[in-house]
Amino acid sequence: MAQTSSTPTIGVLGIQGDFTENINILKRINCITKQDLKVIDVRNEVDLSKCDGLIIPGGESTAIGVVVRDYNLLKPLQNYVSSGKPVWGICAGLILLSTKLTNSTKLETDNIDQPLIGGLSVLTHRNYFGHQDKSALRSIYIKRSKNKKLTESMSHFIRAPAIIDILDKQTVKEIAFIYDNDNKITCAVEQNNILATAFHPEVTDNSFYWHQYFIKKVYKSLKIPYNVNQELLFKPVPICKELDSLNALYATWSVKTAMPRMLQGGVIMDVVNGKQARIAEEAGACSVMALERIPADIKADGGIARMSDPKLINEIMSTVSIPVMA
């Protein structure tokens, strides 16, 4: 690992997902606070060695895991987490950092043997809320150490996981939760150098609180004063008026447009059955397109159809955990 300096460097793992959105928010905070912070896109071990803090962004955890494994970045990431340097896992990043995983829905085949970075002592449900139609803007309740009162905020949960068990209650601290059908669900935790959130502040308008929270964590780890005017310390984004009476808003424009951002940098593969979809997920595809026939055969016959019947779509959806398009 490179030696630290008075100029902290925060890296965002740029393998797949909405890494660009996280880089942009860090740069915006940098401009507003006038802090001397360097932000880099991490693609390899050399980039990683320059980081004083690392964000593992939202995306598809299987796709990110397969790529970092196949390009020999898994072990360096594991070493980075164990080094004690601050790491923040967002959604897919939370999944990758978890010690144990389970699926919220029963798949017809065995669970994917997914590469994990590990280090966070929690049991996480992948896709806890279900398919994309269950993605939502939700009210969250933040536990702030300086104020015993809960702070109500909101953020986007896009095909989100949930923490269903804290395996080391001595070191893992719940810092935010939601209510889902009156069930209290942990959605953010902190364990020593690790911060993990099931939600996406980077796609929630004017939500700077969590990124600044992580920046402060990096400065503290380096024993560098975080000299920012108190007026510029960002507060959790308040809930919108629609969430006054509801815990979640489904199918909003912000929810719909957030989903494509999570597929950035990934491969979408055409499949015609569940077996092919399974192979695609294991190979690192971020999504599959369900087709009745492969495009080459359709074109050879002079056809233009690119759709599948509902039965085939349901078969594929029950076989994989990645998004299915049709």
Side-chain angles (χ1 to χ4, degrees):
M1 297 290 176
Q3 291 183 348
T4 58
S5 68
S6 59
T7 303
T9 297
I10 295 181
V12 180
L13 188 65
I15 301 298
Q16 190 274 322
D18 70 338
F19 49 88
T20 301
E21 283 75 6
N22 284 281
I23 289 171
N24 289 341
I25 284 196
L26 290 172
K27 289 181 176 179
R28 286 178 67 187
I29 292 175
N30 217 13
C31 289
I32 294 169
T33 61
K34 308 300 182 185
Q35 285 294 107
D36 189 15
L37 175 69
K38 187 174 181 181
V39 182
I40 66 171
D41 183 345
V42 175
R43 302 292 179 101
N44 52 51
E45 189 173 358
V46 174
D47 295 336
L48 184 62
S49 69
K50 300 173 184 176
C51 297
D52 300 304
L54 177 70
I55 296 176
I56 304 174
E60 284 302 318
S61 62
T62 50
I64 297 171
V66 167
V67 173
V68 299
R69 179 195 65 197
D70 292 352
Y71 284 83
N72 300 317
L73 193 53
L74 183 59
K75 188 63 176 178
L77 284 166
Q78 292 170 337
N79 290 340
Y80 188 94
V81 172
S82 62
S83 75
K85 292 190 175 185
V87 181
W88 177 16
I90 302 173
C91 194
L94 159 62
I95 293 171
L96 288 162
L97 289 171
S98 299
T99 301
K100 291 185 178 181
L101 295 182
T102 186
N103 278 311
S104 59
T105 56
K106 180 175 170 54
L107 300 179
E108 290 182 357
T109 51
D110 294 335
N111 290 349
I112 295 287
D113 184 16
Q114 180 175 349
L116 295 177
I117 298 168
L120 180 63
S121 301
V122 297
L123 173 62
T124 299
H125 251 169
R126 295 181 358 168
N127 298 348
Y128 176 85
F129 301 94
H131 296 291
Q132 173 61 7
D133 62 336
K134 299 302 182 184
S135 292
L137 179 64
R138 293 178 177 271
S139 297
I140 62 175
Y141 300 89
I142 305 170
K143 298 178 176 180
R144 302 176 75 180
S145 58
K146 293 183 179 180
N147 186 347
K148 292 185 178 181
K149 280 189 174 182
L150 294 172
T151 300
E152 189 173 11
S153 183
M154 66 179 183
S155 198
H156 286 83
F157 290 71
I158 309 299
R159 299 183 73 253
I163 297 167
I164 60 168
D165 192 17
I166 292 176
L167 304 177
D168 185 349
K169 294 176 174 56
Q170 296 298 316
T171 61
V172 179
K173 178 175 65 173
E174 179 189 68
I175 55 176
F177 62 87
I178 63 170
Y179 287 107
D180 181 53
N181 296 325
D182 296 325
N183 295 318
K184 179 175 171 288
I185 305 293
T186 301
C187 64
V189 295
E190 197 165 18
Q191 183 180 20
N192 302 321
N193 61 310
I194 300 174
L195 172 67
T197 59
F199 49 84
H200 292 273
E202 76 280 4
V203 297
T204 305
D205 287 346
N206 300 314
S207 179
F208 298 102
Y209 171 78
W210 292 97
H211 284 79
Q212 189 175 47
Y213 186 99
F214 184 68
I215 291 171
K216 289 166 66 178
K217 191 176 180 72
V218 173
Y219 271 78
K220 184 177 180 181
S221 73
L222 296 172
K223 296 181 172 57
I224 299 174
Y226 189 64
N227 297 320
V228 174
N229 188 310
Q230 288 294 317
E231 294 181 1
L232 293 177
L233 291 175
F234 302 108
K235 298 178 181 179
V237 61
I239 64 169
C240 58
K241 63 180 181 180
E242 293 85 355
L243 285 173
D244 280 336
S245 57
L246 300 168
N247 284 331
L249 294 175
Y250 300 95
T252 64
W253 178 250
S254 61
V255 169
K256 291 177 180 178
T257 56
M259 178 61 191
R261 303 184 196 184
M262 305 308 152
L263 302 181
Q264 292 176 125
V267 174
I268 301 173
M269 299 183 70
D270 294 336
V271 299
V272 298
N273 55 48
K275 182 178 180 181
Q276 288 184 3
R278 182 72 172 182
I279 293 170
E281 181 170 20
E282 290 177 335
C286 70
S287 179
V288 292
M289 174 70 75
L291 303 175
E292 187 174 350
R293 299 171 64 198
I294 62 172
D297 290 344
I298 296 172
K299 186 176 180 180
D301 292 341
I304 57 173
R306 286 183 58 86
M307 62 183 295
S308 294
D309 62 81
K311 182 178 179 181
L312 176 60
I313 295 170
N314 287 329
E315 173 200 337
I316 292 172
M317 288 175 64
S318 68
T319 306
V320 296
S321 62
I322 56 178
V324 177
M325 303 179 183

